[in-house]
Amino acid sequence: YNLSVGSIILTNERVMYSISHFKSKQDAMNYYKHVTQSPSLLKTLTVANPTFFVISAPNYPIFYKFKNEVDYLEFFRKYYLEP
């Protein structure tokens, strides 16, 4: 993988870290599943109250404009996790 890591400030209390340049949606979802099912990683991040999701390149600017985690998580669950 030739992935990139970045971060943006969502609010005064929330920072979003992004891992990008996956070759496919399936690669991104595999990474998501690995991270969300990793007890050691989740234990390390518990204090930060993390939220994990996959977002496509076309949807990223929309998310960035509104920075609404709750609405995007609903979309993510509906279109990425339930199909």
Side-chain angles (χ1 to χ4, degrees), residues 18-65:
S18 61
I19 294 94
S20 57
H21 297 109
F22 290 95
K23 291 182 181 181
S24 67
K25 175 183 174 182
Q26 188 59 49
D27 285 347
M29 290 303 297
N30 288 341
Y31 187 88
Y32 166 83
K33 288 175 187 171
H34 174 75
V35 167
T36 58
Q37 296 172 2
S38 171
S40 60
L41 178 63
L42 294 175
K43 183 179 178 182
T44 302
L45 297 175
T46 300
V47 174
N49 190 26
T51 302
F52 301 98
F53 53 82
V54 172
I55 188 166
S56 67
N59 286 336
Y60 188 87
I62 298 166
F63 175 82
Y64 182 76
K65 179 179 178 181

Side-chain angles (χ1 to χ4, degrees), residues 4-19:
S4 298
V5 178
S7 65
I8 61 168
I9 296 172
L10 295 177
T11 68
N12 288 337
E13 295 86 28
R14 300 288 282 175
V15 175
M16 183 172 95
Y17 295 94
S18 61
I19 294 94

